[in-house]
Amino acid sequence: MSTTIVVNEVFGPTVQGEGPSTGHRCAFLRLGGCNLSCRWCDTPYTWDWQGLSDDGHAYDPHTELTARSVNDVLAELLAMDVRLVVISGGEPLNQQRRMRPLVAELISRGIAVEIETNGTVVPEDELIALGVRFNVSPKLAHSGDEEHRRINADALRKFQQTPGVAFKFVCRSVDDLAEVGTLQAALGLDPIWIMPEGKKEQAVIAHLQTVADEVVRRGWNLTTRLHVLAWGDRRGV
Ligand code: SF4
């Protein structure tokens, strides 16, 4: 496979920190580039060429992204001996055709593949047919992205038809939950997972406690950010 993909980082073994697979041992493949620019993004080094995250962490944008062959990335992932690979970003579906041979190889070896997406890119039938699970995280108004950029109703309706899908919303307040409820009513999204916003333990816990009762009352699921609680805002874990 001579196809190349634009990679930010490959790391693991670690555990999935968010959503339905929280706590599961896995490897991470973080792809480069994103079509949104959320003001609280926790991976700006995948797309923002300023080289400074909003919490003051500096990075060199010239060294963050690398074109790597699928074979090379596959070998690195297999060496971690995991049963789950999480493909994240950035927005990984901007490279969905290029990543398809990699996903097919992993699944043919009995390794589950989860793709984390912002839900703005329509997933192709060929990728869905491989048996990936999508963790779809549409962005709310507090992301700072304009609504026409962050909500793609056609894409979200297609994700809804894929087996094992989960819709995961980053929330900080009960008002955010009302916004999720409006989207759910309009598009029939299910199941809903709510995740507290925060890059530091204190923020994650505070937002979790703010939304927990209302999440349960609405019949939704709640996830923490396990990697932040375990490792803080360190990269590569
Ligand atoms: S969609 Fe995700 S990667 Fe892209 S800017 Fe928003 S939080 Fe960051």
Side-chain angles (χ1 to χ4, degrees):
M1 289 177 285
S2 58
T3 311
T4 59
I5 49 178
V6 179
V7 175
N8 172 244
E9 54 190 358
V10 178
F11 62 92
T14 180
V15 294
Q16 168 62 295
E18 309 170 351
S21 305
T22 297
H24 287 219
R25 187 174 182 276
C26 67
F28 263 83
L29 166 60
R30 187 179 304 291
L31 298 185
C34 188
N35 54 328
L36 296 183
S37 48
C38 307
R39 56 167 64 108
W40 41 255
C41 180
D42 60 355
T43 55
Y45 40 84
T46 63
W47 59 268
D48 188 342
W49 311 127
Q50 290 187 107
L52 190 66
S53 60
D54 65 0
D55 56 358
H57 284 170
Y59 54 89
D60 180 356
H62 299 99
T63 60
E64 289 290 345
L65 305 189
T66 314
R68 294 184 59 182
S69 77
V70 164
N71 277 344
D72 183 32
V73 173
L74 176 66
E76 189 171 349
L77 292 169
L78 292 177
M80 291 185 221
D81 191 22
V82 292
R83 296 182 191 166
L84 170 66
V85 169
V86 180
I87 302 179
S88 190
E91 175 44 59
L93 289 189
N94 286 330
Q95 301 185 62
Q96 60 178 317
R97 271 180 220 173
R98 288 164 171 266
M99 75 161 87
R100 207 189 300 152
L102 174 67
V103 172
E105 273 296 320
L106 290 167
I107 288 178
S108 74
R109 294 164 191 253
I111 298 171
V113 176
E114 245 172 52
I115 296 180
E116 301 193 319
T117 171
N118 61 29
T120 61
V121 181
V122 178
E124 293 180 344
D125 293 337
E126 294 86 347
L127 183 64
I128 296 169
L130 293 176
V132 299
R133 295 196 306 260
F134 293 100
N135 289 336
V136 185
S137 186
K139 300 305 180 253
L140 301 178
H142 63 60
S143 67
D145 299 300
E146 295 168 336
E147 185 173 357
H148 71 91
R149 293 182 62 219
R150 61 184 163 79
I151 301 296
N152 180 341
D154 290 341
L156 294 175
R157 287 196 186 96
K158 188 158 184 186
F159 282 117
Q160 180 64 69
Q161 304 307 315
T162 62
V165 67
F167 293 93
K168 184 183 69 183
F169 290 87
V170 175
C171 291
R172 301 191 285 210
S173 69
V174 170
D175 285 349
D176 294 343
L177 302 182
E179 198 179 334
V180 175
T182 301
L183 274 173
Q184 183 187 33
L187 298 169
L189 307 180
D190 181 70
I192 301 278
W193 285 76
I194 301 298
M195 183 177 81
E197 189 268 328
K199 299 175 199 169
K200 298 206 185 300
E201 181 183 353
Q202 296 86 343
V204 169
I205 292 171
H207 293 145
L208 190 72
Q209 293 176 345
T210 298
V211 301
D213 285 341
E214 181 65 6
V215 169
V216 174
R217 192 192 70 74
R218 285 177 177 268
W220 297 339
N221 306 292
L222 186 62
T223 173
T224 186
R225 305 194 75 206
L226 190 61
H227 50 301
V228 174
L229 302 184
W231 292 293
D233 58 359
R234 264 170 52 198
R235 282 180 66 175
V237 286

